[in-house]
Structures are given as C-alpha cells and as structure tokens.
Amino acid sequence: MKILVPVKRVIDAYVKPRVKSDQSGVELTNVKMDINPFCEIAVEEAVRMKEKGEAAEVVVVSIGGAKCEEILRKALAIGADRAVLVETAGEDVEPLVVAKILKNLVEKESADLVILGKQSIDGDNNQTGQMLAALLGWGQGAFASDIKKDGDTLQVMREVDGGLETLSLKMPAVVTTDLRLNEPRYVKLPNIMQAKRKPLDKIPAADFGVDLAPRVAVLKVTEPPQRSGGELLEGSAAEIVQQMMDKIGNRIAG
Amino acid sequence: MTILVIAEHDNTALKNPTLHTVTAAEKLGGEVHLLVAGKSCDAAAEAAAKISGISKVLKADDAALEHQLAENIAPLVADLAQKGGYTHILAPAGTFGKNLLPRVAALLDVQMISDITEIVNATTFVRPVYAGNALATVESGQSLNILTVRPTAFDAALAEGGNAAIEDVAGAQESGLSAFVKRELTESERPELGDARIVVSGGRGLGSKEEFERLIPPLADKLGAAIGASRAAVDAGWVPNDYQVGQTGKQVAPEIYIAIGISGAIQHLAGMKDSKIIIAVNKDAEAPIFKIADIGLVGDLQEIMPELMKALDGLLGTNGMQKTA
Ligand SMILES: Cc1cc2nc3c(=O)[nH]c(=O)nc-3n(C[C@H](O)[C@H](O)[C@H](O)COP(=O)(O)OP(=O)(O)OC[C@H]3O[C@@H](n4cnc5c(N)ncnc54)[C@H](O)[C@@H]3O)c2cc1C
Ligand SMILES: Nc1ncnc2c1ncn2[C@@H]1O[C@H](COP(=O)(O)O)[C@@H](O)[C@H]1O
C-alpha cells in the first residue's frame, strides 16, 4: 500500500496572527511558520502504518511556494520516504484547486490511501479531503480519531457532534485527521540529517493543467471586534465570589 | 433566487443548528427549500414543514440515507442542485455539514465557502479565519454558492408557524464506498452545548478526571448549563471529544460562559469569545483568558468552587435552576 500525505505550510499555531493595516491579509513576513498541526498528525499516522508493515511507502506533498520545502523536510524527518513540492508562484490556492492537483498526483503515484489534515489552521476551510474523495470517487473518513486497516477495508472512528462514529471504508480511501488520532513524535537530530538526503521532487503547478485562478475573491481582511477584559477580582475566595455575585447574580439567575 | 438548506437531523427530530441556518438562508432573500435526507424520516420532515419561512420540504427517504453517509447524500444533493436551479446550498457548520458540503461542492465544481458569520449580499460573505483572529470578507464569482453557516452567528428561525408542502425525492443510491458500523453518542440530560444559555467549561487546571467530575457537573447542573472543555481536558480523556470548545471544536456563544482552570489559548478563545458574559477562574492573574473575561476571579479553583456553589445555593436555592433546553 502506498500512502500520500498532503501537508500545508501555515503560521505557527502558537503565534498570534496580526491583520495587516491595509486589510489585505494577515502579516506573514518574519512570522514563524510550520507544518499545519493536523498535517503533522497525518504524517505521523502514515509513518506508523509503514512501521507496522501496513504501508510500503509514504509520499508527502505540499502545494505552495519554495519555502514549503522546510515542512516537507520535517515530514521526511518524521519518517516519510519521499516528497513532492508542487510549486506555485507563492500565493495560496483554493481547496478545490488543491484537491484537483492532488487527484492528479494520486493517479500518477497510484496511491491507495490519502491522509490529510481535517483543517488548515490559517484558512480554517475544512474542505480539501472531502473534495478530493469526491473527485476520486472514493470513500471518506473525515475527522478520524482512530484508523485500522482490515484487509481491503479501513475502519475509521470519527469525531462527530454528539460523540464518535465508526465507518468501514472500501479501499482506496481518503481520511482526514482529528487531534486525538495520535501524538506526533519528537524528531531527533539524526532523523533531520537523514531527511536532507531523501528525495524531493519539484513540479511546477502549471504542469498539472489545473486552472489555478481563485473563484472566490478576498475583498478585505479585518480585525474582529476586540473584547476588553473586565475587572480582576483578587482576595479571599469568599470575598471575590461575593463580589462576583453582587455584579452579575441577577444575570446568572436569568 | 432559490436556496436549498440541508437539514441536520436524526430521522426523528431536526437538530437546532438547522433553524439557525434557515435564518441565514432567509437573509439571502429568495425562496427557501429544506432537504430532509434520511430513512423513515417522516417526523423530521413534518417538523421541517412547520418551520416559519420554508416554502417547500424535499424528503428523500431511502435505506441508503439512514446514516447520513456523505458518499450517498452528496450525489443526491448535487443532482437536486442541477435540476432545481438552486443559487445557494447551505448547511450548518457542524460535523455533518463540514463532512458533506465539500463533497457536494467538488461534484459540482464549486469552490465552497466555509463557516460564514455574516451575509453582506447574495454573493458576499464574512467568515472568520486564523482561529477568529481575522475576519475575511469574500466575494464569490460563481453562479452557485455552497456555504456552511456558523449557527451561533444567526438567530434560530421559528420552529412553528410554517406550513410547507412535503415533496418526495427519489433516486438515492448506495455508493458502496462506505458503510456505517456504529455510533457512540455521549448521553446527557443537559442542554446542547451549542444552544445552552450558560456553559461551564473546565480545563487542565482541574488536574484530573476525578476533580473534573467532582467539581464541574454539580456547578453545571445547578445552573442548568451545558458542559464544555478545553482541548487539554479532552486530550487527557477527562471528557468526550465533542465537549471541546474552540477553533477546531465547537463554537459557542451563550449568555454566560464560565471558564474554570482554562488558560485562554487562541484556539480556545476562537470558540467562545462571542459569549455575552465571560467569567473566568484561574490562579494566574496573567492568564490570557483574563484579557477577554468580563469578570476574572484570581485564585485557586479548589477554594473558589465551593464558595461559588454556596453562593449559588443562596441565589438559586439548593435545587438550582430549572433545566432549560
Ligand atoms: C491545531 C490545534 C488546534 C487546537 N484546537 C483547540 C480547540 O479547539 N480548543 C481548545 O481549547 N484548545 C485547542 N488547542 C489547544 C490550545 O492551544 C491549548 O493548548 C489548550 O486550549 C490549553 O488548555 P487549558 O487551558 O485547559 O490548559 P493550560 O493552557 O495548561 O491552562 C491551564 C490553566 O489552569 C490554571 N490553573 C492550574 N491550576 C489551577 C488551580 N488550582 N486553580 C485555578 N487555576 C488553575 C493555570 O494557571 C492555567 O492558566 C489546539 C491546539 C492546536 C495546535
Ligand atoms: N496547499 C496545500 N498543500 C498540501 N496540502 C494541502 C494544501 N492545502 C490543504 N492541504 C491539505 O488539506 C487539509 C485540509 O485543508 P483545508 O481544506 O484548507 O482546511 C490540510 O490539512 C492538508 O492536508
């Protein structure tokens, strides 16, 4: 089995994003960037399947500017075998475009399973995996918290509103990861060194024959209304609870 | 303009986010149809027909739709979209809609727009990005718009007062791509996290599952509140996954949100900063949650929680508030 894992380069999850004053977007120059956390979970899962002997090869792919090489190297350090960088002029492409390029790659690579993140933490789209499954005509296990390969089916436990749901997917299939699927390993220095020697192919996005133009225009990006903190109550527990009740007891009572 | 709303339901009853999505559909201006796709879903379809503002209910009743598998519903919706001449397809931005609509959009070659919080006009929408740290105003150049709607950003439509015709829709098919195995739902008598008037959320500061269970449910029950949690509490296995409030969990906007032992990471704030009143209990006066809390109680939750329960006994009586759905 060959697994394809698409990974996206995004702002570091622990950096507070700042809106640019010209309202054109979020400031990304000189801001720490990293692999999207859900994609890191996807890479980890694929590598574990390889380590269990369920997968023969794990190929990671990123669609974006030249700097995506950094996150591909990180994925290789986790344990992926090979990377593909689909190079664009740098700006973000929409999920439907990403899905169309990935469909091409899946066919070219004859992948049997694609594991994506459920959501990119910059665009918060939560679309690409489901779109790719539709384009390929494959089953989808979105928001997975557990994956088990069982012959030529895949048992996927999904995090849904209300609890957990388990589906059995016919292979080949698409899975998207939720936070509880696994905890990605710490990459060690030797793995980072090794990753530098693993193959990384670059293909211009234009070679895929997919129209890259956006269908949805971003007119402006603005700051959300800011909440200002209220009062901090300090003192003994009994005192501060009393102060709180004086202030909003009636609102609590409804 | 004709708008198709995909109802979220369990074959018997409609889920509340559907009502909020209907309000968003009405804001677009145009005829609103509601699709109830399920198995033996008459009761849900009848409830749908009563919603004020709906002009037609489409009922697709088929064994293939029983478990709401995206692989089986998506082709049906795509087909309806093409035949029905719809300009917009909407679903609530819960796990049901997020799973289904991108699949529909790809089948129709449409770039969908996720999680809208405002409708500027029929093709221009506002949506939060970067965990709600930025709001993007986007304009679609497409003749069909496919949108998921953040329920907390729109009021609920009236569940009564309408009298729409129910039309049967045939043609659902088993895709053979996926099969339902089981569902383990979190049983709770408490109000739904998404619609509760008060939400009590616990975080890592509670220290253990035992302490979470000892301190949080009694407070929630006294207040007739729903229980939420931070990712840390969910990851630790103290509470089920669907309690997670935040960027990648549930979005809530109750009248009162009470955060106990939660630091206030941006991913958590993304899910609750639209609450009307935020109360936070944290022993660290520098915790980021205090930057947005209306009332911050600085101190050890082990000392504050018993005082809070006592004070609420005084305010509400020992039985607490009536449970409100
Ligand atoms: C991709 C991604 C997605 C994420 N999505 C979400 C999400 O949807 N929702 C979410 O919540 N998080 C999410 N997170 C995680 C988030 O970044 C934080 O790690 C998490 O919210 C922290 O949870 P916490 O506040 O309970 O724990 P901590 O940050 O550890 O805070 C615990 C707090 O408790 C206080 N405390 C400790 N003991 C006491 C005491 N005795 N009395 C009073 N106070 C005490 C401490 O001062 C501290 O402020 C996500 C992270 C990533 C990377
Ligand atoms: N530019 C990209 N390159 C590679 N993978 C991507 C890209 N954009 C999205 N993905 C994948 O799709 C997932 C969901 O992204 P999104 O639909 O944008 O929320 C991500 O976690 C990635 O696995």
Side-chain angles (χ1 to χ4, degrees), chain B residues 130-198:
Chain B
Y130 289 87
N133 286 289
L135 296 176
T137 303
V138 300
E139 184 180 36
S140 162
Q142 307 171 105
S143 55
L144 171 60
N145 286 289
I146 301 185
L147 314 161
T148 53
V149 174
R150 182 175 291 199
T152 54
F154 299 88
D155 291 335
L158 292 176
E160 299 287 335
N163 184 21
I166 301 178
E167 201 174 278
D168 282 315
V169 175
Q173 272 174 20
E174 183 56 63
S175 70
L177 298 172
S178 63
F180 174 83
V181 178
K182 64 177 175 185
R183 194 169 286 143
E184 296 146 81
L185 295 184
T186 310
E187 297 290 336
S188 168
E189 304 263 288
R190 299 189 184 92
E192 291 257 351
L193 189 50
D195 329 301
R197 192 180 79 85
I198 304 181

Side-chain angles (χ1 to χ4, degrees), chain A residues 5-9 36 38-39 42 61-64 92-93 95 98 102 115-130:
Chain A
V5 183
V7 294
K8 188 177 181 192
R9 179 173 178 266
N36 183 44
F38 288 100
C39 302
V61 52
S62 192
I63 301 162
D92 259 5
V93 285
V98 174
L102 291 175
I115 311 181
L116 306 89
K118 83 162 175 183
Q119 176 174 343
S120 40
I121 62 159
D122 50 1
D124 285 333
N125 300 306
N126 199 330
Q127 298 179 4
T128 309
Q130 299 88 313

Side-chain angles (χ1 to χ4, degrees), chain B residues 114-137:
Chain B
S114 299
D115 213 12
I116 62 162
T117 53
E118 199 185 314
I119 291 167
V120 179
N121 59 46
T123 52
T124 310
F125 312 97
V126 178
R127 57 180 303 262
V129 290
Y130 289 87
N133 286 289
L135 296 176
T137 303

Side-chain angles (χ1 to χ4, degrees), chain B residues 223-244:
Chain B
L223 295 168
I227 297 182
S230 69
R231 174 188 172 182
V234 177
D235 282 3
W238 301 348
V239 289
N241 57 276
D242 56 317
Y243 282 34
Q244 181 179 309

Side-chain angles (χ1 to χ4, degrees), chain A:
Chain A
M1 177 171 73
K2 190 195 257 190
I3 308 180
L4 188 73
V5 183
V7 294
K8 188 177 181 192
R9 179 173 178 266
V10 297
I11 191 168
D12 182 278
Y14 301 101
V15 170
K16 186 173 160 53
R18 303 222 176 271
V19 172
K20 287 196 223 171
S21 53
D22 66 0
Q23 303 195 332
S24 64
V26 162
E27 189 56 69
L28 294 178
T29 30
N30 296 322
V31 169
K32 189 166 175 240
M33 304 292 281
D34 202 350
I35 183 171
N36 183 44
F38 288 100
C39 302
E40 190 175 356
I41 294 171
V43 175
E44 175 69 35
E45 194 66 18
V47 169
R48 286 188 193 183
M49 290 178 95
K50 183 176 174 195
E51 288 167 348
K52 275 191 281 185
E54 292 171 347
E57 192 182 23
V58 176
V59 181
V60 289
V61 52
S62 192
I63 301 162
K67 287 194 171 148
C68 294
E69 182 165 344
E70 297 159 17
I71 61 148
L72 287 170
R73 293 286 171 204
K74 183 164 180 178
L76 293 170
I78 293 172
D81 299 294
R82 186 155 73 69
V84 179
L85 171 56
V86 177
E87 260 186 301
T88 65
E91 67 274 16
D92 259 5
V93 285
E94 292 175 340
L96 184 60
V97 174
V98 174
K100 286 178 181 174
I101 293 175
L102 291 175
K103 173 181 188 266
N104 268 297
L105 262 177
V106 166
E107 286 165 352
K108 191 168 147 219
E109 294 276 349
S110 308
D112 309 280
L113 175 64
V114 188
I115 311 181
L116 306 89
K118 83 162 175 183
Q119 176 174 343
S120 40
I121 62 159
D122 50 1
D124 285 333
N125 300 306
N126 199 330
Q127 298 179 4
T128 309
Q130 299 88 313
M131 286 182 155
L132 175 63
L135 297 179
L136 289 165
W138 292 4
Q140 66 189 53
F143 330 137
S145 63
D146 189 59
I147 305 175
K148 266 193 203 73
K149 191 163 177 287
D150 184 4
D152 46 9
T153 64
L154 199 68
Q155 295 267 326
V156 180
M157 188 185 270
R158 310 177 51 223
E159 294 199 4
V160 295
D161 293 340
L164 292 166
E165 177 182 280
T166 305
L167 300 180
S168 164
L169 303 179
K170 198 177 113 189
M171 295 280 279
V174 172
V175 169
T176 76
T177 62
D178 216 319
L179 295 168
R180 261 64 64 177
L181 183 58
N182 62 51
E183 220 176 295
R185 70 195 65 189
Y186 234 64
V187 286
K188 299 191 195 84
L189 194 61
N191 303 113
I192 295 171
M193 300 311 289
Q194 234 179 349
K196 289 188 177 152
R197 292 191 300 271
K198 290 186 180 175
L200 188 152
D201 290 333
K202 296 182 186 174
I203 312 176
D207 286 11
F208 287 86
V210 172
D211 181 7
L212 304 175
R215 307 260 187 96
V216 176
V218 178
L219 302 182
K220 61 175 177 181
V221 175
T222 54
E223 288 248 8
Q226 297 297 314
R227 270 189 100 107
S228 49
E231 214 173 328
L232 276 193
L233 307 177
E234 295 181 76
S236 79
E239 273 165 31
I240 62 178
V241 165
Q242 190 52 52
Q243 288 171 32
M244 166 191 149
M245 297 306 285
D246 291 346
K247 280 177 200 304
I248 59 152
N250 55 352
R251 292 290 290 274
I252 291 177

Side-chain angles (χ1 to χ4, degrees), chain A residues 13-14 37-38 121 179, chain B residues 203-205 229-233 244-249 261-265 267-268 281-284 287 299-302:
Chain A
Y14 301 101
F38 288 100
I121 62 159
L179 295 168
Chain B
R204 182 160 17 221
S230 69
R231 174 188 172 182
Q244 181 179 309
V245 171
Q247 178 190 15
T248 60
I262 292 178
S263 61
Q267 293 88 3
H268 189 79
V281 177
N282 199 302
K283 67 178 180 189
D284 174 10
D300 191 332
L301 65 88
Q302 294 288 346

